[in-house]
Structures are given as C-alpha cells and as structure tokens.
Amino acid sequence: MVEASSNADHHQTPLLLHKEGEEEQQQAKCYVNRTGNVWTAVSHIITGVVGSGVLSLAWSVAQLGWIAGPLAMLSFASITLTSTFLLSNCYRTPDPELGPGRNRSYLEAVDMSLGKKSARFCGLFIQVTLFGVGIAYTVTSAISIRAIHKSNCYHKEGHQAACDYPDTYYMLIFGLVQIVLSQAPDFHNIQWLSIVAATMSLLYSFIGFGLGVAQVIENGYVKGSLTGIKTSSSVEKMWLVSQALGDIAFAYPYTLILIEIQDTLKSPPSENQTMKKASTISTIIITIFYVLCGGFGYAAFGEATPGNLLTGFGFYEPYLLIDFANACIVIHLVGGYQVYSQPLFANVERWISEKYPDSGFINNEYTLKLPLIPAFRLNLLRLCFRTVHVVCTTSIAMIFPYFNQVIGVLGALNFWPITIYLPVEMYFKQRNIEAWTTTWVMLRIFTFGCFLVTMFALVGSIEGLISAKLS
C-alpha cells in the first residue's frame, strides 16, 4: 500500500543555510536546551576528527623524515588551532561574547559576516568536499575489504603467496549498500549510524597504533632516517612530500563542525571561551596521538612503510586482529559516507524543491508498506538523485582507487578556503580590523603562507593521482 504526502519542507541539515521563516527559527533557537561544557566539546571534536586519515600518517612521516614529519604535524596543529580561535568568535554576532544573534552552522556564520556571495563560494567548496569524501570513503572501504581477504589468504598460504583481489567488486558492494542507506529521509534518521561509525574509528586507530608499538618492540630498534624515504630523483621526492602534506591536511581540520559543536555549549562562561579551551585540549590530544601513530608506524617499517597502516601489510599477524581492525574501518566508512552525504543531499534537494514547488515528482512523499518490513517513506526525487550521486562517487572511485593520492587531493582542496581564508576574513569583518595594522599584516602573511603550502600539496597530490593512474 502506498500513501502520498508533501515533502517540500522536510529536509534539514546542520550545513544548510536557511533564509525563509527566519522569525520562527529565531524563536526556536531561544528554547534550545544547551548543556554542553568543555569536555563534551572535546569528545565531539576528537570523535569528528580522528578517522581514516590517521592511517596515512605513518606514510606521511616516512616521506618527510624524523625531523620534518613531526614538525609538519605540529605546524598543521598550530594552524588549525589558530583558525578555530578566529572562528569560535563568529558564533555570536555582533559581539563574540555578548552578541544576541547566534550562527548555528559554519555556512550561517559566513553569510552573516561576509554576505551571500561569500556564502555561495563557501557552499560550493562544502559541496565539493562532501562529494569528494564520498569518493575517498568508497576507495578506502574497498581497500579494507580486500585487506581482510588478503590477510586470511596470507595466513593460510604464507606471506609470499599471490593473494591478489580486485577492488572493483568491493566498491560495487559498498555502492549498493549506500544506495539503500541514502534513502533515509535526513540526517536525524541515521544518528545511530553516526555513533557506531565514531566508535569504530577510535577502535581501528588505537589498533593501528598498538600494532606499530608492538612491531618496534619486536624489531628491537627504531627504523627510518632524518630525511625520510629515499627516491630516485629530487623531483619524485618533492611530489611525495607534497602528497604527505596533503594527507596531514586531511587529518586535522574540523572547521565545518566547530560552530555546530559550539551551539551545544551552555553559558556562562561565554561559548567562545569554552570553545577555545576545548579546541586547545582537543588539538593537543589529537596531535600527541597523531605523532605517536605516525611515528611508531614509521619506526616499525622504515623504508617499507605502507600507504595505509592497516591495509598495506606491514602487519600480517595476528591476522584476526588485522581482520577486526579492517572490519571496523568498513563499518566506520559505511556510516561516515552517510554523515558526509546527507548534508549534500538535503542542500540540493531543498534547492530543487524551492525552484519547483508544484512538482509532485519532487515534493510528494509516498509511504511504502511491505510485508515483514516497517513502513518506509519514499520520495521519487530522493530515490533518483541519491542513487545517481552514489553511482557517480562509486564510478570515480573505481577510476582512481588510490588511497594516499585521493586523501591528499581532498585535504589540500579543502584546507585553505574553508579552514584558513574564510575564518580570517570573518575575523577582519567582525573586529573591523583596518588594513596595514599589525594584526592585519600578520594574518595576511598567515593566509598567504597557508595558501602556498596548500597549492604545493594540491599540485603534488594531483600529479600523484595522475601518475598512479597512468602507471
């Protein structure tokens, strides 16, 4: 049995910029029960940041060496912390502590501070980033599923056995699962999936770290060098260094979720002060964890450090633990794909429904009742658009199934505009910073320096992606 209903105003997302019904929204905001504190914010940040990017850090340290590797992580940590300090002042307007207006998402803050043009620019990068993360998660999940098969094969046949499995089949399975999950009406229907995904990310990260420590102890000495892995030419070394910087850039920022986390905090004390404390504590904890994971991974394998610590088969045993860690990765990525895709779905579908408000294909929702299955809401636009989206991310992942290069491109593409440029511009606007003052000059130098590093990482990661494809 199928029942139809209107869906014109159904979708909501924390990354969506709302303009209609502002008075009603402002009234609703006044009654939000905010009870968060420093430690709840710290837990949200760590859960949101620690993920599949940590698995590439050992490879990144291996390209940079024992001096530049840890220094790069500390530098990105400092840059991220500076950005979060600037951004946390943009939650309330016009005053960062006493302003009556609240911005409940990053995009709202950009629109309020810099206007619609900057909000559109920001929205474009957000959508590209969300789409790109779907590609990266598809690649990584296939690699992890393949690693489980290879681990069992190596255990049975020996470490020298020809245990080769294609990625394509696993990507197709992952894509089919995402087509089904993507039909959930909105983000609020998959909160349980987000919690499971976060738990899995912490589990496999600690397993990777523990295996690295165990391998160093088993070796009895620390591998690696001050300058990193040797290459056949300085040009090749330069490209690998740029990819490593892109990978580190992917692992750190949490700009897109910072203001949403800040919106959960109680006051007094003021939300921006609490958020700065939480960001400082979180960044210190994350950096220590990253340096230990990357450092012990490089110390364990040296020149043979794999691109992905859990799927590159630096570790063969205990194979059941390797299987479990990779299963955790897959579960995390199944949920993570939806966490990043649902905001994109809602943004596009809301725009289409507003553009064509009288279309039944776009706005009607049908309740589908099948035997033995709970009633399920179905919308034709949602069915078609989200299926096409998953097909596109899966297809691109099948064309470019390269973990480190894809991670590097995404990290570099997102880092400067979202993490650096826009927070600095919002800070200038809110504080009315005049040109050529000391603060203005220092932040301009900061922005320009980060831009150069980002472009270096982006060009190198794209070169690596093309080279991997051509080879």
Side-chain angles (χ1 to χ4, degrees):
M1 183 176 179
V2 177
E3 300 174 357
S5 61
S6 175
N7 190 39
D9 298 315
H10 175 72
H11 297 291
Q12 296 178 358
T13 172
L15 294 181
L16 186 63
L17 178 63
H18 302 283
K19 295 306 292 181
E20 71 281 5
E22 290 182 352
E23 183 178 350
E24 291 80 0
Q25 289 184 20
Q26 292 297 329
Q27 291 175 357
K29 291 176 186 178
C30 295
Y31 297 103
V32 174
N33 185 24
R34 298 177 176 88
T35 59
N37 54 37
V38 170
W39 296 109
T40 61
V42 167
S43 65
H44 285 316
I45 293 170
I46 293 176
T47 300
V49 173
V50 176
S52 59
V54 72
L55 300 175
S56 69
L57 292 178
W59 181 87
S60 298
V61 174
Q63 311 313 312
L64 298 167
W66 278 122
I67 296 178
L71 281 178
M73 291 192 205
L74 292 175
S75 297
F76 275 96
S78 300
I79 291 170
T80 301
L81 190 59
T82 301
S83 172
T84 59
F85 272 42
L86 298 177
L87 187 59
S88 63
N89 288 328
C90 299
Y91 171 63
R92 283 186 179 270
T93 56
D95 184 85
E97 295 188 9
L98 303 176
R102 297 175 186 264
N103 297 307
R104 302 186 67 186
S105 73
Y106 183 85
L107 198 53
E108 282 188 19
V110 173
D111 180 62
M112 179 63 69
S113 299
L114 303 177
K116 295 183 182 300
K117 186 175 181 180
S118 294
R120 293 191 189 100
F121 168 78
C122 174
L124 175 62
F125 269 96
I126 289 175
Q127 303 311 319
V128 170
T129 299
L130 297 176
F131 183 81
V133 169
I135 297 171
Y137 279 15
T138 303
V139 171
T140 310
S141 65
I143 293 174
S144 294
I145 298 173
R146 182 183 64 184
I148 294 174
H149 283 236
K150 292 180 73 173
S151 174
N152 294 334
C153 175
Y154 286 137
H155 179 72
K156 294 178 181 179
E157 306 295 335
H159 297 172
Q160 304 304 318
C163 298
D164 293 323
Y165 300 92
D167 290 327
T168 304
Y169 177 70
Y170 306 122
M171 291 184 188
L172 290 173
I173 294 176
F174 184 83
L176 289 173
V177 171
Q178 295 303 334
I179 287 176
V180 175
L181 291 177
S182 66
Q183 298 309 310
D186 55 39
F187 186 83
H188 303 284
N189 292 82
I190 58 166
Q191 287 183 347
W192 63 272
L193 196 59
S194 179
I195 295 171
V196 172
T199 303
M200 295 298 104
S201 70
L202 293 173
L203 277 174
Y204 69 68
S205 297
F206 278 104
I207 290 173
F209 167 62
L211 289 172
V213 173
Q215 187 65 48
V216 172
I217 295 174
E218 182 180 333
N219 293 340
Y221 65 98
V222 173
K223 294 184 178 181
S225 66
L226 296 179
T227 57
I229 291 176
K230 297 177 182 179
T231 58
S232 57
S233 67
S234 58
V235 174
E236 182 184 358
K237 182 69 174 180
M238 178 183 70
W239 292 134
L240 290 174
V241 167
S242 67
Q243 292 175 41
L245 293 176
D247 285 9
I248 296 173
F250 180 82
Y252 262 104
Y254 51 95
T255 309
L256 289 179
I257 62 174
L258 182 139
I259 289 183
E260 290 170 355
I261 294 173
Q262 195 168 343
D263 191 49
T264 68
L265 302 177
K266 62 183 178 182
S267 63
S270 62
E271 296 91 348
N272 67 330
Q273 295 303 320
T274 302
M275 198 68 208
K276 288 175 183 178
K277 291 180 182 178
S279 295
T280 302
I281 295 170
S282 304
T283 303
I284 291 173
I285 293 173
I286 290 167
T287 301
I288 292 173
F289 182 63
Y290 279 5
V291 170
L292 290 175
C293 282
F296 273 103
Y298 182 41
F301 302 110
E303 295 283 319
T305 302
N308 184 317
L309 198 58
L310 290 173
T311 64
F313 286 95
F315 305 111
Y316 290 94
E317 301 291 343
Y319 83 102
L320 288 177
L321 186 60
I322 305 298
D323 289 353
F324 175 73
N326 279 293
C328 288
I329 294 174
V330 174
I331 295 172
H332 166 229
L333 297 179
V334 167
Y337 185 102
Q338 288 300 314
V339 169
Y340 280 95
S341 295
Q342 286 289 338
L344 185 152
F345 295 156
N347 284 340
V348 174
E349 290 165 10
R350 178 178 287 273
W351 178 80
I352 295 174
S353 65
E354 289 175 353
K355 193 171 182 65
Y356 303 100
D358 299 323
S359 171
F361 175 83
I362 293 171
N363 296 309
N364 287 347
E365 211 168 68
Y366 303 90
T367 301
L368 184 63
K369 296 180 180 179
L370 297 174
L372 305 178
I373 298 177
F376 184 77
R377 289 184 298 169
L378 187 67
N379 172 264
L380 296 179
L381 171 64
R382 185 163 66 231
L383 177 64
C384 296
F385 168 67
R386 298 186 183 192
T387 300
V388 170
H389 170 87
V390 175
V391 169
C392 288
T393 57
T394 304
S395 300
I396 296 174
M398 290 166 64
I399 297 172
F400 299 101
Y402 313 112
F403 176 74
N404 294 96
Q405 293 85 347
V406 170
I407 293 294
V409 169
L410 285 174
L413 190 65
N414 176 63
F415 186 74
W416 184 78
I418 301 298
T419 305
I420 307 300
Y421 174 72
L422 288 172
V424 169
E425 294 301 314
M426 285 191 280
Y427 180 79
F428 283 160
K429 187 76 172 181
Q430 186 183 51
R431 295 299 180 93
N432 295 315
I433 305 296
E434 296 183 2
W436 303 110
T437 59
T438 302
T439 302
W440 187 91
V441 171
M442 291 181 65
L443 286 176
R444 286 297 182 205
I445 293 173
F446 170 72
T447 302
F448 183 68
C450 290
F451 175 76
L452 293 179
V453 173
T454 299
M455 291 307 298
F456 176 61
L458 179 61
V459 172
S461 298
I462 292 174
E463 189 279 336
L465 199 63
I466 295 173
S467 297
K469 181 62 178 177
L470 294 177
S471 63

